[in-house]
Amino acid sequence: MNCKICKTKGIKKNAIVNLPSYNLSLCKEHFIEWFERRVQNTIKDFQMFTKEDRILVAVSGGKDSLGLWFVLNKLGYNADGIHIDLGINDYSKKSREYVEEFAKKIERKLYIVDLSTEIASISILKEKIPNKPPCSICGIIKRYYMNKISKKEGYNTLATGHNLDDEISVLFGNILNWNLDYLSKQYPILKEYENIFVRKVKPYCRITEKESALYTFLMGIKYIEQECPLSTGATSLKYKKILGDIEEQFPGTKLRFFNNFLRKFYPLLANKITEENLQRCKICNEPSSLEICAVCNIKMKLAKL
Amino acid sequence: MEQKFIFNIKYRGKIYNLASDKNKLSPKDILKFLGLSEEYAFVVKNGEIVLLNTSISPEDEIEVINAVSGG
């Protein structure tokens, strides 16, 4: 199979990537070009940020976040990184090494939050708080520190590497449960709110997991390939598998599902977003829907306060 | 005894040996052997990403990348 773009220029070159949803086969050079343009267009379409903004990229050490950090800088944006060391044995150790090595390589500032010293490792929290799934605890803590550090260090935008597959697996779960509150917040950009929340953006929301892995591989970026050992059996992974099976049968479904949600359904919910329950945590002064925020609550359970 | 061809496949830090009657396989065969979907995984032959219709020999260096991640 030959590259379709090269063909239009009268050149015969082997394709390395086939993108059935776009009816496109591309060589290495044109895939990279296509990918970067797609990220750039997503940033512009959703008015995520400009070259004047200070962006902090949440980097886990996986393909999406490292690739995103790389591409944002390549496109000329001002993006530094933040990594939360979750303390999940060898997995976290390796992840942190990949992130630190990469930060040095691209010469960008990296902030590290070590959960073992801040609260306790996720492995310990999982044992101490058995009634909450570890992914849920992890999500609460990550969101808390990412928002807190962004504000403290003067960044106005927090970028995460959530890709199309991540987005639609969450969307699928939220629709199965008709969780309107979560659906009303599922958008590629969540605007800043007073001095409480920084802007949150997902520039990879129209990039599939495979496209992201292909780009990161082609850019020669080393990343942790293993899945988080605590996420095994996570519902979102099962949903990804189901949606992947549908996509194989009907190419383009994943993108259509997401785009049509944003275009047709989200506007019906968007006006329902309120921050009326929002207050400041009595202990740490960070945003919370209760008097004491979820992270301070966890700390109290562990008698760290 | 019928000759078997051994394909060494690197996947997530481990080497898997695929014994086949055929001396040529496709990336599709390799993904099937590992139980992976082409929707999420791809094959790298001698350092280059290849399409599913490519031919792979036992002497090729084969690596499989699975894009699925969680957490």
Side-chain angles (χ1 to χ4, degrees), chain B residues 1-65:
Chain B
M1 208 174 101
E2 208 179 319
Q3 191 189 353
K4 289 276 185 192
F5 298 93
I6 308 294
F7 294 77
N8 300 312
I9 306 155
K10 192 178 163 200
Y11 175 56
R12 292 195 166 174
K14 287 184 187 161
I15 302 288
Y16 296 81
N17 300 315
L18 192 171
S20 172
D21 300 335
K22 296 186 271 183
N23 67 345
K24 298 272 181 203
L25 290 180
S26 71
K28 224 171 185 159
D29 298 323
I30 309 261
L31 294 182
K32 198 176 167 192
F33 167 73
L34 291 170
L36 300 174
S37 156
E38 59 188 82
E39 183 53 34
Y40 291 105
F42 57 90
V43 174
V44 179
K45 173 184 156 183
N46 303 323
E48 301 288 337
I49 297 167
V50 287
L51 288 180
L52 293 175
N53 57 356
T54 314
S55 169
I56 293 176
S57 308
E59 55 273 16
D60 287 324
E61 202 176 283
I62 312 157
E63 187 178 358
V64 172
I65 311 279

Short mmCIF file of all heavy atoms in Angstrom, two decimals, chain B residues 1-65:
data_model
loop_
_atom_site.label_atom_id
_atom_site.label_comp_id
_atom_site.label_asym_id
_atom_site.label_seq_id
_atom_site.Cartn_x
_atom_site.Cartn_y
_atom_site.Cartn_z
N MET B 1 10.03 -35.69 10.67
CA MET B 1 9.33 -34.67 11.47
C MET B 1 9.26 -33.35 10.71
O MET B 1 10.24 -32.95 10.09
CB MET B 1 10.08 -34.49 12.79
CG MET B 1 9.18 -34.03 13.91
SD MET B 1 10.09 -34.01 15.47
CE MET B 1 10.44 -32.29 15.62
N GLU B 2 8.12 -32.72 10.78
CA GLU B 2 7.92 -31.44 10.06
C GLU B 2 8.76 -30.32 10.67
O GLU B 2 8.86 -30.22 11.89
CB GLU B 2 6.44 -31.08 10.14
CG GLU B 2 5.97 -30.24 8.97
CD GLU B 2 4.49 -29.91 9.09
OE1 GLU B 2 3.73 -30.81 9.49
OE2 GLU B 2 4.14 -28.77 8.79
N GLN B 3 9.36 -29.51 9.79
CA GLN B 3 10.20 -28.43 10.29
C GLN B 3 9.37 -27.27 10.85
O GLN B 3 8.33 -26.91 10.30
CB GLN B 3 11.08 -27.90 9.15
CG GLN B 3 12.16 -26.96 9.64
CD GLN B 3 12.89 -26.27 8.50
OE1 GLN B 3 12.66 -26.59 7.33
NE2 GLN B 3 13.74 -25.34 8.84
N LYS B 4 9.81 -26.73 11.98
CA LYS B 4 9.11 -25.58 12.56
C LYS B 4 9.99 -24.34 12.44
O LYS B 4 11.21 -24.43 12.59
CB LYS B 4 8.83 -25.83 14.05
CG LYS B 4 7.76 -26.87 14.31
CD LYS B 4 6.38 -26.27 14.25
CE LYS B 4 5.32 -27.30 14.64
NZ LYS B 4 3.98 -26.83 14.31
N PHE B 5 9.38 -23.25 12.15
CA PHE B 5 10.10 -21.98 12.06
C PHE B 5 9.80 -21.17 13.33
O PHE B 5 8.64 -21.04 13.72
CB PHE B 5 9.68 -21.20 10.81
CG PHE B 5 10.01 -21.93 9.54
CD1 PHE B 5 9.07 -22.77 8.93
CD2 PHE B 5 11.27 -21.81 8.95
CE1 PHE B 5 9.37 -23.46 7.79
CE2 PHE B 5 11.57 -22.50 7.80
CZ PHE B 5 10.63 -23.32 7.21
N ILE B 6 10.87 -20.68 13.95
CA ILE B 6 10.69 -19.95 15.21
C ILE B 6 10.80 -18.44 14.97
O ILE B 6 11.80 -17.96 14.43
CB ILE B 6 11.73 -20.38 16.27
CG1 ILE B 6 11.74 -21.90 16.44
CG2 ILE B 6 11.48 -19.66 17.61
CD1 ILE B 6 10.48 -22.50 17.03
N PHE B 7 9.79 -17.74 15.39
CA PHE B 7 9.77 -16.27 15.30
C PHE B 7 9.89 -15.71 16.73
O PHE B 7 9.08 -16.06 17.59
CB PHE B 7 8.46 -15.78 14.68
CG PHE B 7 8.29 -16.17 13.25
CD1 PHE B 7 7.91 -17.47 12.91
CD2 PHE B 7 8.50 -15.25 12.23
CE1 PHE B 7 7.75 -17.84 11.58
CE2 PHE B 7 8.35 -15.62 10.89
CZ PHE B 7 7.98 -16.92 10.57
N ASN B 8 10.93 -14.91 16.96
CA ASN B 8 11.11 -14.32 18.28
C ASN B 8 10.46 -12.93 18.31
O ASN B 8 10.83 -12.06 17.51
CB ASN B 8 12.60 -14.18 18.63
CG ASN B 8 13.26 -15.54 18.62
OD1 ASN B 8 12.73 -16.48 19.22
ND2 ASN B 8 14.39 -15.66 17.94
N ILE B 9 9.53 -12.78 19.21
CA ILE B 9 8.76 -11.52 19.24
C ILE B 9 8.97 -10.82 20.57
O ILE B 9 8.72 -11.40 21.64
CB ILE B 9 7.25 -11.81 19.06
CG1 ILE B 9 7.03 -12.62 17.78
CG2 ILE B 9 6.44 -10.53 19.04
CD1 ILE B 9 5.77 -13.44 17.80
N LYS B 10 9.41 -9.58 20.48
CA LYS B 10 9.58 -8.78 21.70
C LYS B 10 8.27 -8.04 21.98
O LYS B 10 7.74 -7.36 21.09
CB LYS B 10 10.72 -7.77 21.48
CG LYS B 10 11.15 -7.09 22.76
CD LYS B 10 12.32 -6.16 22.47
CE LYS B 10 12.46 -5.19 23.63
NZ LYS B 10 13.21 -4.00 23.27
N TYR B 11 7.78 -8.23 23.19
CA TYR B 11 6.53 -7.54 23.55
C TYR B 11 6.56 -7.17 25.03
O TYR B 11 6.67 -8.03 25.88
CB TYR B 11 5.32 -8.46 23.25
CG TYR B 11 4.01 -7.88 23.71
CD1 TYR B 11 3.58 -6.63 23.28
CD2 TYR B 11 3.19 -8.58 24.60
CE1 TYR B 11 2.38 -6.09 23.71
CE2 TYR B 11 1.98 -8.05 25.03
CZ TYR B 11 1.59 -6.81 24.59
OH TYR B 11 0.41 -6.26 25.02
N ARG B 12 6.47 -5.89 25.29
CA ARG B 12 6.48 -5.34 26.65
C ARG B 12 7.60 -5.92 27.51
O ARG B 12 7.37 -6.43 28.62
CB ARG B 12 5.11 -5.51 27.31
CG ARG B 12 4.08 -4.62 26.62
CD ARG B 12 2.81 -4.45 27.39
NE ARG B 12 2.04 -3.33 26.81
CZ ARG B 12 0.83 -2.97 27.17
NH1 ARG B 12 0.20 -3.61 28.10
NH2 ARG B 12 0.23 -1.95 26.60
N GLY B 13 8.81 -5.90 26.95
CA GLY B 13 10.00 -6.30 27.71
C GLY B 13 10.27 -7.79 27.75
O GLY B 13 11.27 -8.22 28.31
N LYS B 14 9.37 -8.60 27.18
CA LYS B 14 9.58 -10.06 27.20
C LYS B 14 9.73 -10.57 25.77
O LYS B 14 9.24 -9.94 24.83
CB LYS B 14 8.38 -10.76 27.84
CG LYS B 14 8.30 -10.57 29.34
CD LYS B 14 7.13 -11.38 29.89
CE LYS B 14 6.94 -11.06 31.37
NZ LYS B 14 5.62 -11.44 31.83
N ILE B 15 10.38 -11.75 25.63
CA ILE B 15 10.51 -12.36 24.31
C ILE B 15 9.57 -13.58 24.24
O ILE B 15 9.59 -14.45 25.12
CB ILE B 15 11.97 -12.82 24.03
CG1 ILE B 15 12.95 -11.64 24.12
CG2 ILE B 15 12.08 -13.54 22.67
CD1 ILE B 15 12.88 -10.63 22.99
N TYR B 16 8.76 -13.61 23.21
CA TYR B 16 7.84 -14.74 23.00
C TYR B 16 8.29 -15.50 21.75
O TYR B 16 8.65 -14.88 20.75
CB TYR B 16 6.41 -14.22 22.80
CG TYR B 16 5.84 -13.53 24.02
CD1 TYR B 16 6.15 -12.20 24.30
CD2 TYR B 16 5.03 -14.22 24.91
CE1 TYR B 16 5.65 -11.56 25.43
CE2 TYR B 16 4.51 -13.60 26.05
CZ TYR B 16 4.82 -12.27 26.30
OH TYR B 16 4.32 -11.64 27.43
N ASN B 17 8.28 -16.83 21.84
CA ASN B 17 8.67 -17.65 20.69
C ASN B 17 7.43 -18.23 20.01
O ASN B 17 6.67 -18.96 20.63
CB ASN B 17 9.57 -18.80 21.13
CG ASN B 17 10.83 -18.29 21.78
OD1 ASN B 17 11.47 -17.36 21.28
ND2 ASN B 17 11.17 -18.86 22.92
N LEU B 18 7.31 -17.88 18.75
CA LEU B 18 6.17 -18.41 17.98
C LEU B 18 6.70 -19.48 17.03
O LEU B 18 7.52 -19.19 16.16
CB LEU B 18 5.51 -17.26 17.21
CG LEU B 18 4.15 -17.43 16.54
CD1 LEU B 18 3.63 -16.10 16.05
CD2 LEU B 18 4.10 -18.44 15.44
N ALA B 19 6.27 -20.72 17.22
CA ALA B 19 6.70 -21.81 16.33
C ALA B 19 5.64 -22.00 15.25
O ALA B 19 4.46 -22.21 15.56
CB ALA B 19 6.86 -23.09 17.14
N SER B 20 6.07 -21.89 14.00
CA SER B 20 5.10 -21.97 12.91
C SER B 20 5.56 -22.95 11.83
O SER B 20 6.76 -23.17 11.65
CB SER B 20 4.94 -20.57 12.30
OG SER B 20 4.16 -20.64 11.14
N ASP B 21 4.59 -23.52 11.13
CA ASP B 21 4.91 -24.40 9.99
C ASP B 21 5.35 -23.55 8.81
O ASP B 21 6.03 -24.04 7.90
CB ASP B 21 3.67 -25.20 9.56
CG ASP B 21 3.16 -26.07 10.69
OD1 ASP B 21 3.97 -26.42 11.56
OD2 ASP B 21 1.95 -26.38 10.68
N LYS B 22 4.94 -22.30 8.82
CA LYS B 22 5.23 -21.42 7.68
C LYS B 22 6.51 -20.63 7.93
O LYS B 22 6.80 -20.25 9.06
CB LYS B 22 4.06 -20.44 7.47
CG LYS B 22 2.76 -21.12 7.09
CD LYS B 22 1.70 -20.11 6.77
CE LYS B 22 0.92 -19.70 8.00
NZ LYS B 22 -0.17 -18.77 7.73
N ASN B 23 7.26 -20.35 6.86
CA ASN B 23 8.49 -19.57 7.02
C ASN B 23 8.26 -18.07 6.82
O ASN B 23 9.17 -17.28 6.95
CB ASN B 23 9.60 -20.09 6.09
CG ASN B 23 9.26 -19.85 4.63
OD1 ASN B 23 8.10 -19.57 4.30
ND2 ASN B 23 10.24 -19.97 3.75
N LYS B 24 7.03 -17.72 6.50
CA LYS B 24 6.67 -16.30 6.39
C LYS B 24 5.35 -16.09 7.15
O LYS B 24 4.43 -16.88 7.00
CB LYS B 24 6.43 -15.90 4.92
CG LYS B 24 7.65 -16.06 4.02
CD LYS B 24 8.50 -14.81 4.05
CE LYS B 24 9.70 -15.01 3.12
NZ LYS B 24 10.81 -14.14 3.44
N LEU B 25 5.34 -15.03 7.93
CA LEU B 25 4.10 -14.69 8.63
C LEU B 25 3.75 -13.23 8.36
O LEU B 25 4.61 -12.46 7.92
CB LEU B 25 4.28 -14.87 10.15
CG LEU B 25 4.40 -16.30 10.69
CD1 LEU B 25 4.58 -16.26 12.20
CD2 LEU B 25 3.20 -17.16 10.34
N SER B 26 2.54 -12.88 8.65
CA SER B 26 2.14 -11.47 8.50
C SER B 26 2.03 -10.86 9.90
O SER B 26 1.85 -11.58 10.88
CB SER B 26 0.80 -11.37 7.78
OG SER B 26 -0.22 -11.82 8.65
N PRO B 27 2.07 -9.52 10.02
CA PRO B 27 1.86 -8.89 11.33
C PRO B 27 0.52 -9.32 11.95
O PRO B 27 0.40 -9.42 13.16
CB PRO B 27 1.87 -7.40 10.99
CG PRO B 27 2.76 -7.30 9.81
CD PRO B 27 2.46 -8.54 9.00
N LYS B 28 -0.46 -9.59 11.08
CA LYS B 28 -1.76 -10.05 11.57
C LYS B 28 -1.61 -11.36 12.36
O LYS B 28 -2.21 -11.53 13.42
CB LYS B 28 -2.68 -10.27 10.36
CG LYS B 28 -4.05 -9.74 10.58
CD LYS B 28 -4.88 -9.76 9.31
CE LYS B 28 -6.18 -9.08 9.62
NZ LYS B 28 -6.91 -8.59 8.54
N ASP B 29 -0.78 -12.30 11.81
CA ASP B 29 -0.54 -13.58 12.50
C ASP B 29 0.11 -13.34 13.86
O ASP B 29 -0.21 -13.99 14.85
CB ASP B 29 0.41 -14.48 11.67
CG ASP B 29 -0.17 -14.84 10.32
OD1 ASP B 29 -1.39 -15.07 10.25
OD2 ASP B 29 0.61 -14.89 9.33
N ILE B 30 1.06 -12.39 13.87
CA ILE B 30 1.81 -12.10 15.10
C ILE B 30 0.86 -11.54 16.17
O ILE B 30 0.90 -11.94 17.32
CB ILE B 30 2.95 -11.07 14.82
CG1 ILE B 30 3.80 -11.52 13.63
CG2 ILE B 30 3.74 -10.74 16.08
CD1 ILE B 30 5.07 -12.20 13.87
N LEU B 31 0.01 -10.60 15.75
CA LEU B 31 -0.93 -9.98 16.71
C LEU B 31 -1.91 -11.03 17.23
O LEU B 31 -2.25 -11.05 18.41
CB LEU B 31 -1.68 -8.81 16.06
CG LEU B 31 -0.85 -7.59 15.66
CD1 LEU B 31 -1.75 -6.50 15.06
CD2 LEU B 31 -0.08 -7.02 16.84
N LYS B 32 -2.33 -11.91 16.32
CA LYS B 32 -3.27 -12.98 16.70
C LYS B 32 -2.62 -13.89 17.75
O LYS B 32 -3.25 -14.26 18.73
CB LYS B 32 -3.66 -13.77 15.45
CG LYS B 32 -4.92 -14.58 15.64
CD LYS B 32 -5.33 -15.26 14.36
CE LYS B 32 -6.38 -16.31 14.64
NZ LYS B 32 -6.61 -17.19 13.50
N PHE B 33 -1.35 -14.21 17.52
CA PHE B 33 -0.61 -15.08 18.46
C PHE B 33 -0.58 -14.47 19.86
O PHE B 33 -0.72 -15.16 20.86
CB PHE B 33 0.81 -15.29 17.92
CG PHE B 33 1.77 -15.89 18.91
CD1 PHE B 33 1.68 -17.23 19.26
CD2 PHE B 33 2.78 -15.11 19.49
CE1 PHE B 33 2.57 -17.79 20.18
CE2 PHE B 33 3.66 -15.66 20.41
CZ PHE B 33 3.55 -17.00 20.75
N LEU B 34 -0.42 -13.13 19.92
CA LEU B 34 -0.35 -12.46 21.22
C LEU B 34 -1.74 -12.08 21.76
O LEU B 34 -1.86 -11.54 22.86
CB LEU B 34 0.51 -11.18 21.12
CG LEU B 34 2.01 -11.40 20.89
CD1 LEU B 34 2.69 -10.07 20.56
CD2 LEU B 34 2.67 -12.04 22.10
N GLY B 35 -2.75 -12.35 20.95
CA GLY B 35 -4.13 -12.05 21.38
C GLY B 35 -4.41 -10.55 21.39
O GLY B 35 -5.17 -10.06 22.23
N LEU B 36 -3.79 -9.82 20.45
CA LEU B 36 -3.97 -8.36 20.43
C LEU B 36 -4.80 -7.93 19.23
O LEU B 36 -4.80 -8.58 18.18
CB LEU B 36 -2.61 -7.66 20.37
CG LEU B 36 -1.66 -7.95 21.55
CD1 LEU B 36 -0.30 -7.32 21.29
CD2 LEU B 36 -2.24 -7.43 22.84
N SER B 37 -5.46 -6.80 19.38
CA SER B 37 -6.30 -6.28 18.30
C SER B 37 -5.50 -5.30 17.45
O SER B 37 -4.73 -4.49 17.98
CB SER B 37 -7.50 -5.57 18.92
OG SER B 37 -8.01 -4.62 18.03
N GLU B 38 -5.69 -5.36 16.14
CA GLU B 38 -5.00 -4.42 15.25
C GLU B 38 -5.50 -2.99 15.44
O GLU B 38 -4.88 -2.04 15.00
CB GLU B 38 -5.14 -4.85 13.78
CG GLU B 38 -6.56 -4.93 13.33
CD GLU B 38 -6.69 -5.55 11.94
OE1 GLU B 38 -6.68 -6.79 11.85
OE2 GLU B 38 -6.83 -4.79 10.97
N GLU B 39 -6.61 -2.87 16.12
CA GLU B 39 -7.17 -1.56 16.41
C GLU B 39 -6.27 -0.81 17.41
O GLU B 39 -6.23 0.41 17.43
CB GLU B 39 -8.58 -1.75 16.98
CG GLU B 39 -9.37 -0.51 17.28
CD GLU B 39 -9.48 0.48 16.13
OE1 GLU B 39 -9.54 0.04 14.98
OE2 GLU B 39 -9.48 1.69 16.40
N TYR B 40 -5.54 -1.58 18.23
CA TYR B 40 -4.71 -0.96 19.26
C TYR B 40 -3.22 -1.26 19.15
O TYR B 40 -2.41 -0.57 19.76
CB TYR B 40 -5.20 -1.40 20.65
CG TYR B 40 -6.55 -0.81 21.00
CD1 TYR B 40 -7.69 -1.59 20.98
CD2 TYR B 40 -6.66 0.53 21.33
CE1 TYR B 40 -8.93 -1.04 21.27
CE2 TYR B 40 -7.89 1.10 21.63
CZ TYR B 40 -9.02 0.32 21.60
OH TYR B 40 -10.24 0.87 21.88
N ALA B 41 -2.87 -2.32 18.42
CA ALA B 41 -1.46 -2.73 18.41
C ALA B 41 -0.86 -2.63 17.01
O ALA B 41 -1.58 -2.66 16.02
CB ALA B 41 -1.35 -4.14 18.94
N PHE B 42 0.47 -2.51 16.96
CA PHE B 42 1.15 -2.53 15.66
C PHE B 42 2.48 -3.26 15.78
O PHE B 42 2.99 -3.50 16.87
CB PHE B 42 1.32 -1.12 15.09
CG PHE B 42 2.06 -0.14 15.95
CD1 PHE B 42 3.44 0.00 15.86
CD2 PHE B 42 1.38 0.66 16.86
CE1 PHE B 42 4.12 0.92 16.65
CE2 PHE B 42 2.04 1.58 17.65
CZ PHE B 42 3.42 1.71 17.55
N VAL B 43 3.00 -3.63 14.61
CA VAL B 43 4.22 -4.43 14.57
C VAL B 43 5.37 -3.61 13.99
O VAL B 43 5.20 -2.87 13.02
CB VAL B 43 3.98 -5.71 13.72
CG1 VAL B 43 5.27 -6.51 13.54
CG2 VAL B 43 2.91 -6.58 14.38
N VAL B 44 6.54 -3.78 14.62
CA VAL B 44 7.75 -3.11 14.17
C VAL B 44 8.71 -4.19 13.68
O VAL B 44 9.06 -5.10 14.43
CB VAL B 44 8.38 -2.30 15.33
CG1 VAL B 44 9.66 -1.61 14.88
CG2 VAL B 44 7.39 -1.29 15.90
N LYS B 45 9.08 -4.08 12.41
CA LYS B 45 9.99 -5.08 11.82
C LYS B 45 11.32 -4.41 11.55
O LYS B 45 11.36 -3.39 10.84
CB LYS B 45 9.36 -5.61 10.52
CG LYS B 45 10.25 -6.52 9.70
CD LYS B 45 9.53 -6.88 8.39
CE LYS B 45 10.51 -7.26 7.31
NZ LYS B 45 9.85 -7.54 6.03
N ASN B 46 12.38 -4.93 12.14
CA ASN B 46 13.72 -4.37 11.99
C ASN B 46 13.73 -2.84 12.20
O ASN B 46 14.30 -2.08 11.42
CB ASN B 46 14.31 -4.71 10.61
CG ASN B 46 14.36 -6.22 10.39
OD1 ASN B 46 14.62 -6.97 11.32
ND2 ASN B 46 14.04 -6.67 9.19
N GLY B 47 13.01 -2.42 13.22
CA GLY B 47 12.99 -1.01 13.60
C GLY B 47 12.00 -0.13 12.87
O GLY B 47 11.86 1.05 13.17
N GLU B 48 11.29 -0.69 11.87
CA GLU B 48 10.33 0.10 11.09
C GLU B 48 8.90 -0.41 11.29
O GLU B 48 8.67 -1.63 11.27
CB GLU B 48 10.65 0.00 9.58
CG GLU B 48 12.04 0.48 9.19
CD GLU B 48 12.21 2.00 9.25
OE1 GLU B 48 11.18 2.71 9.17
OE2 GLU B 48 13.35 2.46 9.40
N ILE B 49 7.97 0.51 11.44
CA ILE B 49 6.56 0.12 11.56
C ILE B 49 6.10 -0.46 10.22
O ILE B 49 6.44 0.09 9.17
CB ILE B 49 5.68 1.34 11.92
CG1 ILE B 49 6.10 1.91 13.28
CG2 ILE B 49 4.20 0.98 11.93
CD1 ILE B 49 5.53 3.28 13.59
N VAL B 50 5.37 -1.57 10.28
CA VAL B 50 4.92 -2.17 9.01
C VAL B 50 3.40 -2.36 8.99
O VAL B 50 2.77 -2.53 10.03
CB VAL B 50 5.61 -3.53 8.73
CG1 VAL B 50 7.06 -3.34 8.34
CG2 VAL B 50 5.49 -4.48 9.93
N LEU B 51 2.86 -2.36 7.80
CA LEU B 51 1.42 -2.59 7.63
C LEU B 51 1.11 -4.08 7.76
O LEU B 51 2.00 -4.93 7.67
CB LEU B 51 0.96 -2.07 6.27
CG LEU B 51 0.90 -0.54 6.10
CD1 LEU B 51 0.42 -0.19 4.70
CD2 LEU B 51 -0.04 0.09 7.13
N LEU B 52 -0.16 -4.38 7.91
CA LEU B 52 -0.56 -5.76 8.19
C LEU B 52 -0.30 -6.75 7.06
O LEU B 52 -0.24 -7.95 7.28
CB LEU B 52 -2.05 -5.79 8.56
CG LEU B 52 -2.41 -5.11 9.88
CD1 LEU B 52 -3.91 -5.09 10.09
CD2 LEU B 52 -1.74 -5.80 11.06
N ASN B 53 -0.14 -6.25 5.83
CA ASN B 53 0.08 -7.17 4.70
C ASN B 53 1.56 -7.46 4.43
O ASN B 53 1.91 -8.10 3.45
CB ASN B 53 -0.59 -6.62 3.44
CG ASN B 53 -0.10 -5.22 3.08
OD1 ASN B 53 0.70 -4.63 3.83
ND2 ASN B 53 -0.58 -4.68 1.98
N THR B 54 2.45 -6.97 5.31
CA THR B 54 3.89 -7.17 5.13
C THR B 54 4.27 -8.62 5.45
O THR B 54 3.61 -9.28 6.25
CB THR B 54 4.67 -6.24 6.09
OG1 THR B 54 4.10 -4.95 6.00
CG2 THR B 54 6.14 -6.16 5.76
N SER B 55 5.35 -9.08 4.83
CA SER B 55 5.80 -10.44 5.09
C SER B 55 6.95 -10.42 6.12
O SER B 55 7.86 -9.60 6.03
CB SER B 55 6.26 -11.01 3.75
OG SER B 55 6.91 -12.20 3.95
N ILE B 56 6.87 -11.32 7.10
CA ILE B 56 7.88 -11.36 8.17
C ILE B 56 8.55 -12.73 8.19
O ILE B 56 7.89 -13.77 8.14
CB ILE B 56 7.22 -11.05 9.53
CG1 ILE B 56 6.75 -9.58 9.53
CG2 ILE B 56 8.19 -11.30 10.69
CD1 ILE B 56 6.02 -9.17 10.76
N SER B 57 9.90 -12.73 8.26
CA SER B 57 10.67 -13.97 8.28
C SER B 57 11.20 -14.22 9.70
O SER B 57 11.32 -13.28 10.49
CB SER B 57 11.87 -13.86 7.34
OG SER B 57 11.45 -13.45 6.07
N PRO B 58 11.60 -15.47 9.99
CA PRO B 58 12.11 -15.78 11.33
C PRO B 58 13.34 -14.95 11.70
O PRO B 58 13.57 -14.66 12.87
CB PRO B 58 12.45 -17.27 11.25
CG PRO B 58 11.63 -17.79 10.15
CD PRO B 58 11.48 -16.69 9.15
N GLU B 59 14.15 -14.58 10.70
CA GLU B 59 15.37 -13.83 11.02
C GLU B 59 15.12 -12.34 11.27
O GLU B 59 16.02 -11.61 11.70
CB GLU B 59 16.45 -14.01 9.93
CG GLU B 59 16.03 -13.67 8.52
CD GLU B 59 15.38 -14.83 7.78
OE1 GLU B 59 14.96 -15.83 8.41
OE2 GLU B 59 15.27 -14.71 6.55
N ASP B 60 13.90 -11.88 11.03
CA ASP B 60 13.59 -10.46 11.28
C ASP B 60 13.51 -10.18 12.79
O ASP B 60 13.09 -11.04 13.56
CB ASP B 60 12.24 -10.08 10.65
CG ASP B 60 12.32 -9.99 9.13
OD1 ASP B 60 13.36 -9.55 8.63
OD2 ASP B 60 11.33 -10.38 8.46
N GLU B 61 13.89 -8.96 13.11
CA GLU B 61 13.74 -8.53 14.52
C GLU B 61 12.31 -7.99 14.64
O GLU B 61 11.96 -7.04 13.92
CB GLU B 61 14.75 -7.42 14.78
CG GLU B 61 15.09 -7.25 16.24
CD GLU B 61 16.15 -6.19 16.42
OE1 GLU B 61 17.34 -6.49 16.17
OE2 GLU B 61 15.78 -5.07 16.76
N ILE B 62 11.53 -8.60 15.50
CA ILE B 62 10.11 -8.22 15.57
C ILE B 62 9.77 -7.68 16.95
O ILE B 62 10.08 -8.30 17.97
CB ILE B 62 9.19 -9.46 15.29
CG1 ILE B 62 9.67 -10.21 14.05
CG2 ILE B 62 7.74 -9.03 15.14
CD1 ILE B 62 9.22 -11.65 14.03
N GLU B 63 9.10 -6.56 16.94
CA GLU B 63 8.63 -5.99 18.20
C GLU B 63 7.15 -5.62 18.04
O GLU B 63 6.74 -5.16 16.97
CB GLU B 63 9.44 -4.73 18.56
CG GLU B 63 9.08 -4.22 19.94
CD GLU B 63 9.88 -3.01 20.39
OE1 GLU B 63 10.77 -2.56 19.66
OE2 GLU B 63 9.57 -2.52 21.51
N VAL B 64 6.39 -5.84 19.07
CA VAL B 64 4.98 -5.48 19.02
C VAL B 64 4.70 -4.39 20.05
O VAL B 64 5.15 -4.47 21.19
CB VAL B 64 4.08 -6.71 19.29
CG1 VAL B 64 2.62 -6.30 19.44
CG2 VAL B 64 4.21 -7.71 18.14
N ILE B 65 4.02 -3.36 19.61
CA ILE B 65 3.64 -2.27 20.51
C ILE B 65 2.13 -2.30 20.68
O ILE B 65 1.39 -2.25 19.69
CB ILE B 65 4.05 -0.88 19.93
CG1 ILE B 65 5.50 -0.86 19.45
CG2 ILE B 65 3.73 0.24 20.93
CD1 ILE B 65 6.56 -0.67 20.47
#
